[in-house]
Amino acid sequence: MVDKTLTRMDLADAVHSQVGLSRNDSADLVESVLTHVSDSLVAGESVKISSFGTFSVREKAARVGRNPKTGEEVPIHPRRVLTFRPSHLMKDRVAAGNKS
């Protein structure tokens, strides 16, 4: 398993080298895209990126949980959670990377 993490700066560098924008413009573009995606998710919209996957927000209902240590029942409040569903192309690409 590779311990490399893709960062905003890595994305900006990729835009800089492949598109030819300046480093500052590349960083601004990446920041703008990420802000737009997060704003859409906060508003409750789904974000679908073709050949990549779909980000969506799910509403989870309140329920009763249990403390595993004491067995005591604990209320779990309703909340919104972010989910990601990868596209079939992304799944196939990741699976192909596991074979090497």
Side-chain angles (χ1 to χ4, degrees):
M1 190 93 208
V2 178
D3 290 320
K4 175 86 172 95
T5 301
L6 183 68
T7 64
R8 290 173 192 237
M9 198 64 212
D10 295 333
L11 292 173
D13 287 342
V15 170
H16 169 72
S17 64
Q18 293 180 11
V19 178
L21 293 175
S22 71
R23 290 197 186 275
N24 285 340
D25 288 344
S26 298
D28 290 344
L29 177 66
V30 168
E31 192 62 36
S32 175
V33 168
L34 294 176
T35 299
H36 192 69
V37 168
S38 62
D39 289 347
S40 295
L41 292 167
V42 167
E45 301 172 16
S46 290
V47 176
K48 182 174 185 175
I49 302 173
S50 181
S51 301
F52 187 76
T54 303
F55 295 91
S56 58
V57 177
R58 282 188 41 214
E59 302 283 340
K60 296 193 87 174
R63 62 186 175 91
V64 176
R66 192 174 302 277
N67 182 331
K69 195 170 191 176
T70 64
E72 174 187 358
E73 288 188 351
V74 179
I76 298 175
H77 302 291
R79 62 200 187 281
R80 295 170 51 168
V81 294
L82 178 64
T83 61
F84 174 72
R85 182 176 169 109
S87 71
H88 290 292
L89 292 172
M90 180 59 72
K91 286 181 183 179
D92 293 345
R93 191 166 178 197
V94 170
N98 290 338
K99 294 176 185 169
S100 53

